[in-house]
Amino acid sequence: MFPIQKLNLKKIILIFLIASSLYSEQSQNVTGRVIDAITEMPLPSATVQLLDSTLKLGAVTNSKGEFTIKNVPLGRLSFQASYIGYSKIIITEQITTAKSPYLVFKITESITNSYELLVTPKLEKDISINPMTVVSSHLLSVEEASRYAGGFDDPARLASAFAGVASSVSNNAIVIRGNAPKFLQWNIEGVEIPSPNHFANLSVFGGGGLTALSSNLLDNSDFLTGAFPAQYSNALSGVFDLRMRNGNNSEFEHSFEVGVIGIDLASEGPLGISNNSSYLINYRYSTLGLLEPILPEDAQGTNYQDLAFKLSIPTDWAGNFSIWGIGLIDNSGQSIEADPSLRVYYQDIEQEKVQQYMGTIGLINRIIISNSGYINSSFLMSQDGIDLLTERLDTNEIIRPERKLDNSYTNYTFKSFVSEKLADNHLNRTGLTYQSLGYNLDMKARFDNSEYGNIAQENGRTSLLSVFSNSKFSFDNLNLNLGINYTRFTLNGNSNIEPRIGANYTLNSKGDQLSFGYGLHSRLEPINIYFIRDNEGALLNQNLDLTKSHHFVLGYKFKISNNIVFKIEPYYQKLYDIPVIPDSSYALINLQNNWFSNDRFENTGEGRNIGVDLTLEKYIDNGLYYLITASFFDSKYRTGGSEEWFNTRFNNNILFNALIGKEFYFGESSTIGVNLRASLQGGDRFSAIDLENSIQNQDVVYDESTPFSSITDPYLVSHLTINYKWNTDETTQELSMKVINASMYEEFYGFRYNIENKSVDEFREALVIANLSYKIWF
C-alpha cells in the first residue's frame, strides 16, 4: 500500500488560481455603435476610448457610427463615448476571451442644458432606455441578473431588490408599492405579452417560478414602478419593458451550461442574409425531476423547458427588421398520499396534473424617415394555455373531479408609432396599439360539496385599443413630458382617457435632480372574470369597467459621487372602480390565485397606496458594488358604500434590502465574485380564522368582517451567489453556486384544514433553491 498524504486545501486553491492566471497577454476586440439617443441616427466621427487603463486605446466611428477597438485587455473595463455638442456617456463591460462585446452608446444633445457641458460623464446605469421616462424607472442590467445574489439569472427576481418591490421565495411575483402582481404588464420589445414565467398564475396571478428569458438573450431593459409614459396602456402597478439584444454579426459564439436544475445552450453569429445580420438563440431544459426527493411535497413531476431567439436583419431599402420569439412548456402535479395514516390535509387526498405552455413570435420594423425621426412597427402573435385537473378521494375511496381548467388564449397585436424630433427641444412619439384577444375557456369546479359544474365556457374574441401621444420638451436644465392615452375595451365598450405628466430639473453640474410624475392608469381583469355565469347561464361580469389608479410621484436624486447615488421617492396612488362583491369585503384588488370564482362583481371599490422609497446604490467600481433600499408604505382599500378602510393582502408596511458584492481579480485571467443579499419584509397579511364555521364546513373559513387584519412576524431571507470565472486562449469558463433562501426561512403559505383533527393549521415550508453549475463560452 502506498502512503496517502493529507492535501492542504488552501494550497490546492492557490495553485489552481495561479495556474488559471498564467494565460498572459490575452485580449479581445470591442465593437459597437454611437447613435443619437432621441433619433437613433448614427453619429460619425464620434470618439470612443478605453478608461481605467494605462493603454491609450480608442477609435473614431465611421459614417455608420460604428467603431472597433482592437487588443483590449481582459477584465471589467469602462469605455467613454464623446461627440461635439453631446453629453458623454460611460459603459462598463467585463471583457473575456470567448465573447466579443458589442456596445451601443446612446448619447444626448446638450445644447439646451447649461449644466450639461460641465456635468461629469453619465454612466449607462443613470439613463433609462425610454427617453420619455423621468420618475420611478430602474435600468435592469443583464450582467446584474447573473451577478446579483437572489437574481438567479431571472430579471423578475432581480427586480425584487429595487425599492418598493416585495417578493417571496417560492415564486417570482412582483408586488409594487402594495399593488397585486396581476397589475404588472410584461413587455418584450415594447409590446405586451402574456406572462413569460414558468408555472405562471398557479400560486399567484402575475407570477411564476422563474422567467423563461435567459440572461444570455436579454439586453438592458427598463423596469417602471409608477407614473409611466403615455405609450404604456393596460398597466396599473408597473411595466417590465424587456429587450432582447442582437447577436454577434461578425463571428460565431456559443455557450453551454450544466447545473443541478438543468442545462442551458446558447448560440449566436452572422446570419448571412445581409450585411450585419445576425441570429441569437437559447434553449433551456430543467432536470428538476432528479430533485424530487428534496422538493416540496406538491412539486412532484415538475419540469420545464424554454426556447427563445432573435434574428436581426438590417436592409438598405426598408429599414431594420427583427424577428423574435419565446416559448415554454411546463409540467407539474402531485399524487394522493399512499399511506392512509398520513392523509391529514385535503392536499394529501388530491391528485393533480398541470400542463402549461406559452409561445410568442414578433416581427419588428424600424425605418428612418428623416434625419430627425423614425417609424417603429411591431406585429405579434401569442398563444398560451393551461390544462389543470384536480381530483379528490372521497370518504368512499372514490376519486371525484374537484377543479378543471382547460383555457387557451390566442392574441394578435399590432403596435406602431412615429418618433420624431419636431424641434431642437421637442421630441414627439405618437402611435397606436391594437390587441385582438382570443379566448377558449372551459372551467369547472365543485363548491361546498355541491355538484361539479361549469363556471365559464366561452369561445370568442374581443379587442383592446390604445391610442397615445407623448411629447418631451427640453429647456434650460428642465425636461417636461406631456402625454395622453385613450384606451377602449370592445367587449363592453368601456373606455378611459388617461393624461400623463412628468418633469425633471437638473440642479447642478454633478447631475442632482428633482423630478415629478403624474399619470392615470388602468388595467383589465383576467379575461375569465368577464365570463362567469350564474346558475341560469347569464353572464355576471361582462360589463365590468377597467380598474383605474392616479399615480403621483416626487423624486430627488443626489449624486454622492460619480459611482454612488442616493434617491428618495415619496408617492401616492388613488385607485378606484375596483371590482368588489356587493355587500362584502371581497375585492379583486386582493386576488392572488383563485381561478374558480363564481361571484358577481361591481366597480364600487376604492384603494390608496401611500409611501416613500429610498435607494442608496454604488455602481460596480474596483470590483465592489452595493444596493441598499428601504420602503415604508401603507396599502388600504374599501368596498362600495363602506366608510371603513381595510388592509390589502399586500400591505407589508416595511421592505428592506441590502445587496453587496465584491470581485477579486487574479491577474487578467480569473476572478472570484462573492455576492450576498438580505431581505427584510414586514410580514404577510391574512384574515382571522373563523374556527367554528371552518369545522362546520370542513374547510378553512376566514372572518371577512376585518379582512387582512392579522400579520405574521417580520421575516429575514438571505441569498448567496459565488462565481469563479477564468479565461483561456479560446474559452471563458465559470463555476457558480447560487442559493435562494440560504437562511432556510419557512415561508408562510396560509392555512389548511386538518381533516384528521378537525382543526385549522398554519402552513409553512422552507424552500431552498440551490444551483451548482458549470458554464463555458467558446
Side-chain angles (χ1 to χ4, degrees), residues 485-533:
N485 184 293
Y486 171 77
T487 297
R488 180 178 177 83
F489 185 35
T490 61
L491 179 70
N492 49 33
N494 288 321
S495 60
N496 200 38
I497 297 176
E498 304 173 359
R500 315 283 172 89
I501 301 172
N504 62 10
Y505 183 79
T506 303
L507 297 171
N508 51 43
S509 60
K510 288 196 311 178
D512 297 344
Q513 286 186 342
L514 285 174
S515 57
F516 166 76
Y518 162 75
L520 175 59
H521 308 282
S522 61
R523 178 75 165 168
L524 293 177
E525 295 299 329
I527 200 73
N528 59 283
I529 297 292
Y530 298 93
F531 294 104
I532 294 173
R533 294 182 181 270

Side-chain angles (χ1 to χ4, degrees), residues 87 113-123 126-127 134 477 479 504-515 555-562 564-567 619:
S87 60
N113 190 331
S114 61
Y115 288 130
E116 198 72 43
L117 295 177
L118 299 174
V119 75
T120 52
K122 294 181 179 178
L123 299 177
D126 278 338
I127 306 170
V134 296
N477 307 320
N479 292 315
N504 62 10
Y505 183 79
T506 303
L507 297 171
N508 51 43
S509 60
K510 288 196 311 178
D512 297 344
Q513 286 186 342
L514 285 174
S515 57
Y556 173 60
K557 181 173 75 172
F558 174 60
K559 297 195 72 173
I560 300 172
S561 71
N562 199 38
I564 302 177
V565 178
F566 173 75
K567 298 177 184 178
Y619 307 144

Side-chain angles (χ1 to χ4, degrees), residues 515-659:
S515 57
F516 166 76
Y518 162 75
L520 175 59
H521 308 282
S522 61
R523 178 75 165 168
L524 293 177
E525 295 299 329
I527 200 73
N528 59 283
I529 297 292
Y530 298 93
F531 294 104
I532 294 173
R533 294 182 181 270
D534 62 16
N535 294 331
E536 283 72 41
L539 290 172
L540 298 178
N541 301 310
Q542 188 174 16
N543 293 318
L544 271 184
D545 205 348
L546 306 172
T547 302
K548 306 176 184 70
S549 180
H550 293 284
H551 288 198
F552 300 88
V553 183
L554 291 174
Y556 173 60
K557 181 173 75 172
F558 174 60
K559 297 195 72 173
I560 300 172
S561 71
N562 199 38
N563 291 303
I564 302 177
V565 178
F566 173 75
K567 298 177 184 178
I568 180 171
E569 281 196 348
Y571 63 87
Y572 174 74
Q573 299 176 353
K574 178 177 173 57
L575 294 85
Y576 64 101
D577 285 348
I578 298 170
V580 300
I581 297 176
D583 302 318
S584 86
S585 62
Y586 189 92
L588 288 182
I589 193 176
N590 299 308
L591 184 64
Q592 188 174 35
N593 59 358
N594 182 16
W595 280 94
F596 301 97
S597 171
N598 61 349
D599 297 294
R600 181 176 68 86
F601 295 92
E602 60 183 24
N603 294 103
T604 58
E606 298 177 73
R608 67 185 185 201
N609 301 322
I610 184 170
V612 59
D613 293 338
L614 306 169
T615 300
L616 177 65
E617 182 171 13
K618 175 181 171 60
Y619 307 144
I620 190 163
D621 181 45
N622 293 322
L624 176 67
Y625 72 91
Y626 55 77
L627 174 64
I628 301 172
T629 64
S631 300
F632 305 92
F633 67 99
D634 191 43
S635 178
K636 295 283 178 55
Y637 80 102
R638 63 183 179 187
T639 55
S642 173
E643 296 297 323
E644 186 176 1
W645 289 92
F646 304 115
N647 292 295
T648 67
R649 179 191 297 273
F650 308 101
N651 190 16
N652 300 103
N653 294 130
I654 298 173
L655 303 172
F656 177 81
N657 279 284
L659 182 68

